[in-house]
Each structure stands twice: as C-alpha cells, then as structure tokens.
Amino acid sequence: MDAEEFRRRGKEMVDYVADYLEKIEERPVYPDVEPGYLRQLIPTEAPEEPESYEDVMRDVERVIMPGVTHWHSPNFFAYFPTATSYPSMLADILCGAIGCIGFSWAASPACTELETVMMDWLGKMLKLPDCFLAGTDGHGGGVIQSTASEATLVALLAARCKAVKRVQSINPELSEAEIFSKLVAYTSEQAHSSVERAGLIGGVMMKQVPTDYNYSLRGTLLQKMIEEDKAAGLVPFFLCATLGTTSCCSFDNLQELGPICNEQNMWMHVDAAYAGSSFICPEFRPLLNGIELADSFNFNPHKWLLINFDCSAMWVKKRTDIIGAFKLEPFYLKHDNQESGLITDYRHWQIPLGRRFRSLKMWFVFRTYGIKKMQDLIRKHVALAKEFESLVRADKRFEICAEVVLGLVCFRIKGSNELNQALLKRITKSREIHLVPCQLSGQFVLRFCICARLTESHHVQKAWQHITQLTFELLQEPIN
Ligand SMILES: *Cc1c(COP(=O)(O)O)cnc(C)c1O
C-alpha cells in the first residue's frame, strides 16, 4: 500500500468506524459463536501472494464482527467500562505514524516530555497532593503504564527492593533470598485478582485481609494481622488498598490504613482502576481523601476517561524508589543528556523496555473535551446507575447488595443463588444486554455497570424491563 492508497483507505476506514459506532445498537451485544468458530472461517496458513485490501475488509464483517462482544454498545453493562472517543482514536493513528519507542528521553523527547506534563495535568485534575507531581524539579511524578496490573506489580517490586535494603541495613548477614521468604504483603479480600498475581510474580506472600460489612478494608483488622505476622518473624512491607473494588465498587479506608503503613515502614499502593476517573468531579474527590499517605497511586483513564486502552496512570511520591529498583544502564541505551537531572528515562519506571506515545491520546482528549465535558460523562453515568438502582428498589422481588456510589449497581433476586444464576443465564442467552456476576458474602450477585459513552436513560429502562420480563418467566416455572 502506498501513500496514495493509504489516503483513500484511511478515509474509508474512518467511515467504517463511524458507521460501526453509530449503528452499534443494531448488533447483538454478545456474540452467538462457539469456541473455535474462527479457525474454520479462514485459511490455515498466511497467503503466499498479496491479497486485495477489499478482500480483507470484506472479511471483517464475515469473520471478525460475528465474534465481537460489543463493549461500546449502549446495551453493554458488564465488567467495568473501557473508554473510547473519537479524539482518542485519532491520536492513536498519529501515535502509530510516529511509531517511536520512547524508552529514554533521547529516543523521542516529545514522547517523554508530553507524558510527564500530561500526568501532571491529570494529577491536578484529581487534586493529587503536589508531592505526586513532577513539576520541573519534583521528587514525585507520573508514568503511563499499560494496565493497573502492571502498576501494582511495579509498586510491589519497588517496595520489595526498599524493604530488602531496610532489613539488610539492620541485619547485614541476611541474604536477599532469606529476606524475600519473610516478606509479607496485604490486600483486601475484595481486591482485584491482579494484586494476588503481583504477589505470585514478585515471589512474596500476599495475605488477604477481611473487610467490614461495607466490603471496606479497615485499620483495626490490618493492624491485627501485622502484629501477628511480626510476632511470627515475618516482615510486613506492602499494602495494596483499593478505591472502587471490581466486584462491588467498595472503598478501603485510606485514612485508617495510611498511618499504619507509614508507621510500619510499609509501602501503600492505591488501586483505583475504575473509580479514579470520577475524582475529577469535586463531589467524588472526597473518596480519594487520605491519598497523601500513599506511596503510589494508580487508575485507568482507559476505563472511564474517554481514552482508549491502553492508558493506566500511575504516580509515585518518590521517583527514586521506583527508578532505584529497576535501573540498568547498558551502553547502547546511554545518551548525552541523561546526567542533567531534568531527564526522565521512562524505561526505569516500567517492566518492558518499549513504550508507545500514549500521552498523545491524553492531550487530544483533555483539550477537545475539556475537564467540564469529562465531568459531564462521569456524572451522567452515575445518574444512570442511580436510576437503575431506584428501579430495582421499587421491585419487591429484588434487593440491592452494595451501596451504589458510582456507575455500578449490584443486585439480585431475593432467593437462592441458583435462581440468580438461572436469571443471568437467560440474560446472557437472550443477547439483548450483557452483564457479569460477582460474589458478595457467599451470594451470587448480578453486576449492572453503566459502561458505554452512548448509554442513555431509555437503554437503562429497557434493560430493566428485559430483566423483569425474564424474571417473571423464570418465577412462573415450577421449581425443579
Ligand atoms: C479493572 C481493574 C483492574 C485491572 O485493570 P488492568 O488495567 O486490566 O490491569 C485492577 N484493579 C481494579 C480495582 C480494577 O477494577
């Protein structure tokens, strides 16, 4: 394909994408395919000779679309949202064109510098304490990671490195391996599975602390576990607190947990993957109170802030902690400017070497929406969730299972887990809307999350009608 054809195909693709999103509602939100469906639809080997572009595009509708779960359909209420917006997609095209691998400042100065400034912009939108911002000479700073999972792992590894140094300064005879075997990290039983995985990958014990009746991690229970573990000769070194848990959007109590971590020399990482975007609204910012006590903080603008995957925003209070844990300087990556102190080489802040120019997406979105329009989207989604909550509350057959704080409603039919499982099965099979379940206090619970940018009140109303119709049919049937 030459530039001339690219101009033509590019315009066609933009039309295809706009049509897709404009008419997405006409497609069943959840695909009707069996595992292995795709292999039968395409050849077993790559073509020897070039094929026409038309043939490729024709196969998008034949091969791909039948197997797509349409996350941006206004009838998609599963998981948490994944963001998308036109400015973000356009920025991604530009990112692809520049195609730099911004591992160091010299590898593409704009890639590094825009990222640092965008992370400051975003930090200021959230009213993060200054200590997390880079500014021109800050000790903190932000970095774009691919995912919240990576941010948690990076924080845990940095904390592990710091803990080993601290223990060795007191007990120089202990080897790194001996110290690793005594390190213990904590998170709540409601934390995302990626936190447990960070423990597995980091080779340290990860203990789950029980939560209170609101599914919130509280100081007293953490303190108790720390005391017991210390008495048993273990070394507590890390806590991952969650703001907006995946199952029910509960919030751990940072104001109780922070002082404990600070006193115990434990690193506190805060995972607000979903909820973080809402903190740009003053009315939701109090949910972030206590963040000044944390060592690192992360949320996913790619979930709820109009920026396409991937863009996970992470801030650290002391950049030296994270750089200190990962810094290696092979000869081929050195450059003249790195000793100036003003330079950020982001490869020291992350696990891979390579990185895309993701801050372009932030720049395009922040400027074309402005903070106000981004706040509008968050507020609209929360209002829609509250609307759904009142529909559920008005129906005596149902109950709400956790406080509705943001865009997620956890609900169930008052009755057995089997009954609720059967309801979800019917919902999934009908393909009109898409939901996923969670488990709360041993109960099977349905999660209804406002996800798509284009979801409106009538979609929520229709979804509820659909759910109650299926419930009606289900309850008609004799119990077997
Ligand atoms: C979605 C989510 C994650 C995982 O996010 P990735 O960016 O896909 O790793 C982690 N924690 C919480 C609380 C989440 O909601």
Side-chain angles (χ1 to χ4, degrees):
M1 191 180 292
D2 57 15
E4 214 38 59
E5 189 183 356
F6 177 68
R7 286 176 204 280
R8 189 154 52 90
R9 300 305 185 191
K11 284 162 196 152
E12 286 169 16
M13 181 59 94
V14 166
D15 279 337
Y16 180 84
V17 169
D19 284 343
Y20 168 69
L21 289 171
E22 267 186 349
K23 296 189 193 132
I24 196 166
E25 227 176 301
E26 295 167 12
R27 299 178 187 259
V29 58
Y30 189 65
D32 186 7
V33 292
E34 295 298 324
Y37 91 94
L38 188 143
R39 189 177 277 279
Q40 302 156 15
L41 298 177
I42 59 172
T44 49
E45 322 238 337
E48 202 68 47
E49 300 293 331
E51 293 184 59
S52 79
Y53 181 81
E54 277 94 350
D55 284 347
V56 179
M57 272 314 282
R58 239 191 311 277
D59 277 354
V60 170
E61 280 300 335
R62 184 181 68 91
V63 178
I64 303 301
M65 285 301 170
V68 170
T69 302
H70 299 286
W71 282 63
H72 301 289
S73 162
N75 299 318
F76 182 93
F77 303 103
Y79 312 105
F80 272 143
T82 185
T84 183
S85 67
Y86 292 118
S88 173
M89 286 187 261
L90 291 174
D92 239 351
I93 296 180
L94 181 59
C95 169
I98 294 174
C100 64
I101 305 292
F103 46 74
S104 68
W105 180 85
S108 210
C111 178
T112 294
E113 296 203 12
L114 186 66
E115 180 161 335
T116 308
V117 180
M118 284 307 102
M119 290 299 296
D120 275 3
W121 276 21
L122 184 57
K124 286 179 191 172
M125 274 185 229
L126 268 65
K127 307 243 174 329
L128 274 187
D130 282 345
C131 53
F132 287 104
L133 305 183
T136 46
D137 55 0
H139 298 293
V143 56
I144 304 174
Q145 305 282 1
S146 299
T147 59
S149 314
E150 278 173 74
T152 304
L153 178 61
V154 164
L156 179 130
L157 296 178
R160 191 185 70 173
C161 178
K162 212 176 166 183
V164 167
K165 280 185 197 151
R166 183 166 55 83
V167 174
Q168 277 183 334
S169 71
I170 307 164
N171 305 305
E173 75 287 357
L174 287 180
S175 72
E176 199 173 73
E178 281 170 316
I179 299 169
F180 277 12
S181 70
K182 291 186 195 312
L183 292 178
V184 53
Y186 305 89
T187 195
S188 102
E189 59 189 7
Q190 293 294 329
H192 192 266
S193 57
S194 56
V195 180
E196 193 179 340
R197 284 183 84 204
L200 283 175
I201 299 169
V204 293
M205 222 181 302
M206 175 71 69
K207 294 203 172 181
Q208 292 190 342
V209 188
T211 50
D212 71 5
Y213 59 94
N214 269 327
Y215 305 107
S216 165
L217 178 56
R218 307 293 300 269
T220 41
L221 280 178
L222 176 69
Q223 182 86 50
K224 188 164 160 276
M225 258 182 146
I226 291 174
E227 297 306 335
E228 286 169 7
D229 287 341
K230 280 170 72 176
L234 298 176
V235 180
F237 81 105
F238 181 79
L239 169 74
C240 179
T242 311
L243 298 180
T245 57
T246 313
S247 42
C248 67
C249 202
S250 59
F251 291 77
D252 292 344
N253 192 320
L254 297 190
Q255 278 157 323
E256 289 178 6
L257 302 168
I260 298 172
C261 291
N262 293 174
E263 191 190 296
Q264 300 285 345
N265 278 315
M266 285 166 59
W267 183 295
M268 181 161 84
H269 175 70
V270 176
D271 171 12
Y274 163 70
S277 298
S278 73
F279 305 153
I280 66 167
C281 299
E283 67 271 34
F284 300 123
R285 175 58 179 78
L287 296 167
L288 186 60
N289 287 352
I291 193 62
E292 64 281 0
L293 302 164
D295 297 278
S296 53
F297 168 63
N298 170 253
F299 84 99
N300 287 348
H302 72 229
K303 274 189 169 156
W304 206 12
L305 212 55
L306 296 151
I307 297 168
N308 285 61
F309 190 86
D310 54 328
C311 181
S312 187
M314 179 189 195
W315 289 266
V316 287
K317 218 183 235 171
K318 274 209 214 132
R319 55 169 67 205
T320 47
D321 284 343
I322 189 172
I323 297 169
F326 304 125
K327 194 166 181 175
L328 287 179
E329 295 279 16
F331 191 67
Y332 47 84
L333 294 178
K334 283 192 198 292
H335 56 87
D336 293 343
N337 291 301
Q338 67 187 22
E339 304 307 333
S340 80
L342 279 173
I343 301 303
T344 300
D345 283 340
Y346 275 123
R347 71 173 185 277
H348 303 312
W349 297 56
Q350 63 174 21
I351 291 164
L353 174 71
R355 54 205 330 276
R356 303 193 311 129
F357 199 160
R358 290 173 291 206
S359 55
L360 282 173
K361 291 186 286 194
M362 300 168 90
W363 198 44
F364 275 47
V365 168
F366 295 166
R367 294 182 64 189
T368 56
Y369 276 85
I371 298 174
K372 282 206 175 121
K373 291 278 178 205
M374 294 189 279
Q375 290 171 331
D376 286 351
L377 177 84
I378 302 279
R379 288 176 178 140
K380 181 175 125 187
H381 278 193
V382 177
L384 289 173
K386 300 270 183 199
E387 182 178 338
F388 186 80
E389 179 192 12
S390 40
L391 292 170
V392 177
R393 285 199 192 276
D395 190 325
K396 294 274 175 294
R397 295 169 298 178
F398 289 88
E399 60 189 345
I400 292 287
C401 308
E403 191 190 345
V404 179
V405 183
L406 297 173
L408 174 68
V409 183
C410 290
F411 71 107
R412 67 196 299 280
I413 307 177
K414 292 173 187 163
S416 69
N417 284 347
E418 290 70 29
L419 187 64
N420 282 282
Q421 266 161 341
L423 174 61
L424 184 63
K425 224 177 198 163
R426 286 177 189 219
I427 291 172
T428 306
K429 217 170 141 204
S430 80
R431 301 178 207 287
E432 282 194 30
I433 59 174
H434 193 48
L435 312 185
V436 291
C438 69
Q439 219 182 21
L440 291 176
S441 310
Q443 288 194 317
F444 186 90
V445 170
L446 281 73
R447 288 169 83 265
F448 185 92
C449 188
I450 308 296
C451 289
R453 186 165 49 86
L454 298 173
T455 303
E456 298 291 342
S457 170
H458 69 269
H459 297 111
V460 171
Q461 295 285 342
K462 213 176 100 207
W464 179 243
Q465 272 171 23
H466 180 62
I467 293 168
T468 48
Q469 177 61 33
L470 294 178
T471 304
F472 176 77
E473 291 167 17
L474 184 65
L475 296 175
Q476 291 290 304
E477 285 173 16
I479 299 157
N480 44 26

PDB file of all heavy atoms in Angstrom, residues 229-255:
ATOM      1  N   ASP A 229       1.779 -11.270  62.345  1.00  0.00           N
ATOM      2  CA  ASP A 229       2.833 -11.670  61.411  1.00  0.00           C
ATOM      3  C   ASP A 229       4.217 -11.262  61.925  1.00  0.00           C
ATOM      4  O   ASP A 229       5.183 -12.009  61.789  1.00  0.00           O
ATOM      5  CB  ASP A 229       2.566 -11.067  60.024  1.00  0.00           C
ATOM      6  CG  ASP A 229       1.405 -11.773  59.325  1.00  0.00           C
ATOM      7  OD1 ASP A 229       1.075 -12.908  59.728  1.00  0.00           O
ATOM      8  OD2 ASP A 229       0.830 -11.188  58.391  1.00  0.00           O
ATOM      9  N   LYS A 230       4.283 -10.091  62.510  1.00  0.00           N
ATOM     10  CA  LYS A 230       5.579  -9.658  63.060  1.00  0.00           C
ATOM     11  C   LYS A 230       6.003 -10.575  64.204  1.00  0.00           C
ATOM     12  O   LYS A 230       7.170 -10.951  64.316  1.00  0.00           O
ATOM     13  CB  LYS A 230       5.517  -8.198  63.517  1.00  0.00           C
ATOM     14  CG  LYS A 230       5.652  -7.238  62.340  1.00  0.00           C
ATOM     15  CD  LYS A 230       5.355  -5.808  62.701  1.00  0.00           C
ATOM     16  CE  LYS A 230       6.416  -5.162  63.553  1.00  0.00           C
ATOM     17  NZ  LYS A 230       6.097  -3.730  63.771  1.00  0.00           N
ATOM     18  N   ALA A 231       5.027 -10.936  65.030  1.00  0.00           N
ATOM     19  CA  ALA A 231       5.337 -11.848  66.145  1.00  0.00           C
ATOM     20  C   ALA A 231       5.840 -13.189  65.617  1.00  0.00           C
ATOM     21  O   ALA A 231       6.636 -13.873  66.268  1.00  0.00           O
ATOM     22  CB  ALA A 231       4.086 -12.042  67.011  1.00  0.00           C
ATOM     23  N   ALA A 232       5.402 -13.566  64.410  1.00  0.00           N
ATOM     24  CA  ALA A 232       5.827 -14.836  63.817  1.00  0.00           C
ATOM     25  C   ALA A 232       7.131 -14.679  63.018  1.00  0.00           C
ATOM     26  O   ALA A 232       7.527 -15.601  62.304  1.00  0.00           O
ATOM     27  CB  ALA A 232       4.717 -15.385  62.927  1.00  0.00           C
ATOM     28  N   GLY A 233       7.753 -13.512  63.107  1.00  0.00           N
ATOM     29  CA  GLY A 233       9.041 -13.309  62.448  1.00  0.00           C
ATOM     30  C   GLY A 233       8.965 -12.843  61.000  1.00  0.00           C
ATOM     31  O   GLY A 233       9.974 -12.797  60.292  1.00  0.00           O
ATOM     32  N   LEU A 234       7.774 -12.495  60.557  1.00  0.00           N
ATOM     33  CA  LEU A 234       7.631 -12.021  59.174  1.00  0.00           C
ATOM     34  C   LEU A 234       7.860 -10.503  59.092  1.00  0.00           C
ATOM     35  O   LEU A 234       7.860  -9.808  60.105  1.00  0.00           O
ATOM     36  CB  LEU A 234       6.239 -12.366  58.638  1.00  0.00           C
ATOM     37  CG  LEU A 234       5.917 -13.867  58.571  1.00  0.00           C
ATOM     38  CD1 LEU A 234       4.480 -14.088  58.117  1.00  0.00           C
ATOM     39  CD2 LEU A 234       6.897 -14.591  57.644  1.00  0.00           C
ATOM     40  N   VAL A 235       8.069 -10.050  57.863  1.00  0.00           N
ATOM     41  CA  VAL A 235       8.342  -8.618  57.651  1.00  0.00           C
ATOM     42  C   VAL A 235       7.257  -8.015  56.752  1.00  0.00           C
ATOM     43  O   VAL A 235       7.313  -8.134  55.524  1.00  0.00           O
ATOM     44  CB  VAL A 235       9.734  -8.417  56.992  1.00  0.00           C
ATOM     45  CG1 VAL A 235      10.009  -6.931  56.788  1.00  0.00           C
ATOM     46  CG2 VAL A 235      10.821  -9.079  57.820  1.00  0.00           C
ATOM     47  N   PRO A 236       6.255  -7.353  57.336  1.00  0.00           N
ATOM     48  CA  PRO A 236       5.240  -6.672  56.528  1.00  0.00           C
ATOM     49  C   PRO A 236       5.894  -5.530  55.741  1.00  0.00           C
ATOM     50  O   PRO A 236       6.682  -4.765  56.298  1.00  0.00           O
ATOM     51  CB  PRO A 236       4.268  -6.116  57.568  1.00  0.00           C
ATOM     52  CG  PRO A 236       4.499  -6.935  58.798  1.00  0.00           C
ATOM     53  CD  PRO A 236       5.967  -7.258  58.783  1.00  0.00           C
ATOM     54  N   PHE A 237       5.593  -5.456  54.443  1.00  0.00           N
ATOM     55  CA  PHE A 237       6.278  -4.409  53.655  1.00  0.00           C
ATOM     56  C   PHE A 237       5.376  -3.698  52.655  1.00  0.00           C
ATOM     57  O   PHE A 237       5.768  -2.687  52.083  1.00  0.00           O
ATOM     58  CB  PHE A 237       7.473  -5.020  52.913  1.00  0.00           C
ATOM     59  CG  PHE A 237       7.105  -5.745  51.638  1.00  0.00           C
ATOM     60  CD1 PHE A 237       7.369  -5.181  50.397  1.00  0.00           C
ATOM     61  CD2 PHE A 237       6.482  -6.981  51.685  1.00  0.00           C
ATOM     62  CE1 PHE A 237       7.019  -5.824  49.214  1.00  0.00           C
ATOM     63  CE2 PHE A 237       6.124  -7.632  50.514  1.00  0.00           C
ATOM     64  CZ  PHE A 237       6.388  -7.065  49.275  1.00  0.00           C
ATOM     65  N   PHE A 238       4.159  -4.175  52.411  1.00  0.00           N
ATOM     66  CA  PHE A 238       3.384  -3.619  51.304  1.00  0.00           C
ATOM     67  C   PHE A 238       1.891  -3.807  51.552  1.00  0.00           C
ATOM     68  O   PHE A 238       1.452  -4.848  52.027  1.00  0.00           O
ATOM     69  CB  PHE A 238       3.777  -4.357  50.017  1.00  0.00           C
ATOM     70  CG  PHE A 238       3.076  -3.893  48.761  1.00  0.00           C
ATOM     71  CD1 PHE A 238       3.479  -2.740  48.094  1.00  0.00           C
ATOM     72  CD2 PHE A 238       2.023  -4.624  48.221  1.00  0.00           C
ATOM     73  CE1 PHE A 238       2.858  -2.321  46.918  1.00  0.00           C
ATOM     74  CE2 PHE A 238       1.383  -4.218  47.047  1.00  0.00           C
ATOM     75  CZ  PHE A 238       1.809  -3.067  46.390  1.00  0.00           C
ATOM     76  N   LEU A 239       1.133  -2.750  51.231  1.00  0.00           N
ATOM     77  CA  LEU A 239      -0.323  -2.877  51.230  1.00  0.00           C
ATOM     78  C   LEU A 239      -0.838  -2.346  49.908  1.00  0.00           C
ATOM     79  O   LEU A 239      -0.432  -1.268  49.471  1.00  0.00           O
ATOM     80  CB  LEU A 239      -0.953  -2.054  52.370  1.00  0.00           C
ATOM     81  CG  LEU A 239      -2.482  -1.911  52.280  1.00  0.00           C
ATOM     82  CD1 LEU A 239      -3.191  -3.204  52.654  1.00  0.00           C
ATOM     83  CD2 LEU A 239      -2.996  -0.772  53.157  1.00  0.00           C
ATOM     84  N   CYS A 240      -1.721  -3.107  49.273  1.00  0.00           N
ATOM     85  CA  CYS A 240      -2.456  -2.569  48.123  1.00  0.00           C
ATOM     86  C   CYS A 240      -3.892  -2.328  48.563  1.00  0.00           C
ATOM     87  O   CYS A 240      -4.645  -3.269  48.808  1.00  0.00           O
ATOM     88  CB  CYS A 240      -2.417  -3.531  46.937  1.00  0.00           C
ATOM     89  SG  CYS A 240      -3.341  -2.871  45.532  1.00  0.00           S
ATOM     90  N   ALA A 241      -4.229  -1.053  48.697  1.00  0.00           N
ATOM     91  CA  ALA A 241      -5.605  -0.685  49.041  1.00  0.00           C
ATOM     92  C   ALA A 241      -6.359  -0.422  47.740  1.00  0.00           C
ATOM     93  O   ALA A 241      -5.754  -0.052  46.742  1.00  0.00           O
ATOM     94  CB  ALA A 241      -5.610   0.557  49.918  1.00  0.00           C
ATOM     95  N   THR A 242      -7.675  -0.622  47.773  1.00  0.00           N
ATOM     96  CA  THR A 242      -8.479  -0.409  46.565  1.00  0.00           C
ATOM     97  C   THR A 242      -9.514   0.680  46.799  1.00  0.00           C
ATOM     98  O   THR A 242     -10.192   0.690  47.825  1.00  0.00           O
ATOM     99  CB  THR A 242      -9.214  -1.716  46.171  1.00  0.00           C
ATOM    100  OG1 THR A 242      -8.282  -2.788  46.181  1.00  0.00           O
ATOM    101  CG2 THR A 242      -9.837  -1.585  44.786  1.00  0.00           C
ATOM    102  N   LEU A 243      -9.634   1.562  45.846  1.00  0.00           N
ATOM    103  CA  LEU A 243     -10.739   2.514  45.822  1.00  0.00           C
ATOM    104  C   LEU A 243     -11.626   2.126  44.646  1.00  0.00           C
ATOM    105  O   LEU A 243     -11.229   2.275  43.493  1.00  0.00           O
ATOM    106  CB  LEU A 243     -10.225   3.951  45.661  1.00  0.00           C
ATOM    107  CG  LEU A 243      -9.328   4.470  46.794  1.00  0.00           C
ATOM    108  CD1 LEU A 243      -8.868   5.910  46.522  1.00  0.00           C
ATOM    109  CD2 LEU A 243     -10.044   4.413  48.140  1.00  0.00           C
ATOM    110  N   GLY A 244     -12.783   1.579  44.943  1.00  0.00           N
ATOM    111  CA  GLY A 244     -13.669   1.113  43.873  1.00  0.00           C
ATOM    112  C   GLY A 244     -13.343  -0.309  43.478  1.00  0.00           C
ATOM    113  O   GLY A 244     -12.783  -0.560  42.412  1.00  0.00           O
ATOM    114  N   THR A 245     -13.686  -1.266  44.341  1.00  0.00           N
ATOM    115  CA  THR A 245     -13.338  -2.668  44.054  1.00  0.00           C
ATOM    116  C   THR A 245     -14.134  -3.166  42.843  1.00  0.00           C
ATOM    117  O   THR A 245     -15.203  -2.652  42.530  1.00  0.00           O
ATOM    118  CB  THR A 245     -13.660  -3.569  45.260  1.00  0.00           C
ATOM    119  OG1 THR A 245     -15.036  -3.426  45.581  1.00  0.00           O
ATOM    120  CG2 THR A 245     -12.804  -3.197  46.453  1.00  0.00           C
ATOM    121  N   THR A 246     -13.572  -4.186  42.206  1.00  0.00           N
ATOM    122  CA  THR A 246     -14.153  -4.662  40.962  1.00  0.00           C
ATOM    123  C   THR A 246     -15.505  -5.327  41.189  1.00  0.00           C
ATOM    124  O   THR A 246     -16.417  -5.161  40.384  1.00  0.00           O
ATOM    125  CB  THR A 246     -13.179  -5.641  40.290  1.00  0.00           C
ATOM    126  OG1 THR A 246     -11.887  -5.042  40.328  1.00  0.00           O
ATOM    127  CG2 THR A 246     -13.563  -5.898  38.853  1.00  0.00           C
ATOM    128  N   SER A 247     -15.647  -6.066  42.266  1.00  0.00           N
ATOM    129  CA  SER A 247     -16.924  -6.746  42.447  1.00  0.00           C
ATOM    130  C   SER A 247     -18.041  -5.771  42.787  1.00  0.00           C
ATOM    131  O   SER A 247     -19.106  -5.845  42.190  1.00  0.00           O
ATOM    132  CB  SER A 247     -16.812  -7.857  43.495  1.00  0.00           C
ATOM    133  OG  SER A 247     -16.064  -7.421  44.580  1.00  0.00           O
ATOM    134  N   CYS A 248     -17.813  -4.836  43.707  1.00  0.00           N
ATOM    135  CA  CYS A 248     -18.956  -4.023  44.141  1.00  0.00           C
ATOM    136  C   CYS A 248     -18.646  -2.539  44.320  1.00  0.00           C
ATOM    137  O   CYS A 248     -19.449  -1.812  44.858  1.00  0.00           O
ATOM    138  CB  CYS A 248     -19.537  -4.592  45.428  1.00  0.00           C
ATOM    139  SG  CYS A 248     -18.446  -4.440  46.830  1.00  0.00           S
ATOM    140  N   CYS A 249     -17.487  -2.100  43.864  1.00  0.00           N
ATOM    141  CA  CYS A 249     -17.106  -0.685  43.957  1.00  0.00           C
ATOM    142  C   CYS A 249     -17.121  -0.175  45.409  1.00  0.00           C
ATOM    143  O   CYS A 249     -17.626   0.910  45.694  1.00  0.00           O
ATOM    144  CB  CYS A 249     -17.985   0.194  43.071  1.00  0.00           C
ATOM    145  SG  CYS A 249     -17.183   1.758  42.652  1.00  0.00           S
ATOM    146  N   SER A 250     -16.547  -0.969  46.297  1.00  0.00           N
ATOM    147  CA  SER A 250     -16.379  -0.519  47.676  1.00  0.00           C
ATOM    148  C   SER A 250     -15.035   0.197  47.806  1.00  0.00           C
ATOM    149  O   SER A 250     -14.174   0.056  46.931  1.00  0.00           O
ATOM    150  CB  SER A 250     -16.441  -1.713  48.631  1.00  0.00           C
ATOM    151  OG  SER A 250     -15.435  -2.651  48.302  1.00  0.00           O
ATOM    152  N   PHE A 251     -14.886   0.930  48.903  1.00  0.00           N
ATOM    153  CA  PHE A 251     -13.687   1.765  49.084  1.00  0.00           C
ATOM    154  C   PHE A 251     -12.979   1.415  50.389  1.00  0.00           C
ATOM    155  O   PHE A 251     -13.596   1.457  51.460  1.00  0.00           O
ATOM    156  CB  PHE A 251     -14.082   3.251  49.087  1.00  0.00           C
ATOM    157  CG  PHE A 251     -14.544   3.726  47.735  1.00  0.00           C
ATOM    158  CD1 PHE A 251     -15.819   3.413  47.265  1.00  0.00           C
ATOM    159  CD2 PHE A 251     -13.696   4.438  46.910  1.00  0.00           C
ATOM    160  CE1 PHE A 251     -16.236   3.805  45.996  1.00  0.00           C
ATOM    161  CE2 PHE A 251     -14.105   4.847  45.648  1.00  0.00           C
ATOM    162  CZ  PHE A 251     -15.373   4.531  45.192  1.00  0.00           C
ATOM    163  N   ASP A 252     -11.706   1.091  50.300  1.00  0.00           N
ATOM    164  CA  ASP A 252     -10.917   0.848  51.512  1.00  0.00           C
ATOM    165  C   ASP A 252     -10.672   2.180  52.221  1.00  0.00           C
ATOM    166  O   ASP A 252     -10.639   3.241  51.588  1.00  0.00           O
ATOM    167  CB  ASP A 252      -9.589   0.168  51.159  1.00  0.00           C
ATOM    168  CG  ASP A 252      -9.794  -1.257  50.655  1.00  0.00           C
ATOM    169  OD1 ASP A 252     -10.895  -1.801  50.869  1.00  0.00           O
ATOM    170  OD2 ASP A 252      -8.863  -1.814  50.044  1.00  0.00           O
ATOM    171  N   ASN A 253     -10.477   2.106  53.523  1.00  0.00           N
ATOM    172  CA  ASN A 253     -10.390   3.320  54.331  1.00  0.00           C
ATOM    173  C   ASN A 253      -8.940   3.824  54.421  1.00  0.00           C
ATOM    174  O   ASN A 253      -8.202   3.476  55.335  1.00  0.00           O
ATOM    175  CB  ASN A 253     -10.946   3.021  55.730  1.00  0.00           C
ATOM    176  CG  ASN A 253     -11.168   4.276  56.524  1.00  0.00           C
ATOM    177  OD1 ASN A 253     -10.351   5.195  56.477  1.00  0.00           O
ATOM    178  ND2 ASN A 253     -12.271   4.325  57.241  1.00  0.00           N
ATOM    179  N   LEU A 254      -8.562   4.665  53.467  1.00  0.00           N
ATOM    180  CA  LEU A 254      -7.164   5.132  53.406  1.00  0.00           C
ATOM    181  C   LEU A 254      -6.761   5.883  54.658  1.00  0.00           C
ATOM    182  O   LEU A 254      -5.610   5.819  55.087  1.00  0.00           O
ATOM    183  CB  LEU A 254      -6.958   6.061  52.201  1.00  0.00           C
ATOM    184  CG  LEU A 254      -7.169   5.495  50.802  1.00  0.00           C
ATOM    185  CD1 LEU A 254      -6.666   6.496  49.765  1.00  0.00           C
ATOM    186  CD2 LEU A 254      -6.466   4.156  50.631  1.00  0.00           C
ATOM    187  N   GLN A 255      -7.715   6.603  55.245  1.00  0.00           N
ATOM    188  CA  GLN A 255      -7.349   7.423  56.396  1.00  0.00           C
ATOM    189  C   GLN A 255      -7.014   6.586  57.626  1.00  0.00           C
ATOM    190  O   GLN A 255      -6.287   7.035  58.503  1.00  0.00           O
ATOM    191  CB  GLN A 255      -8.435   8.456  56.687  1.00  0.00           C
ATOM    192  CG  GLN A 255      -8.242   9.650  55.755  1.00  0.00           C
ATOM    193  CD  GLN A 255      -9.489  10.468  55.547  1.00  0.00           C
ATOM    194  OE1 GLN A 255     -10.597   9.919  55.465  1.00  0.00           O
ATOM    195  NE2 GLN A 255      -9.331  11.773  55.457  1.00  0.00           N
TER     196      GLN A 255
END
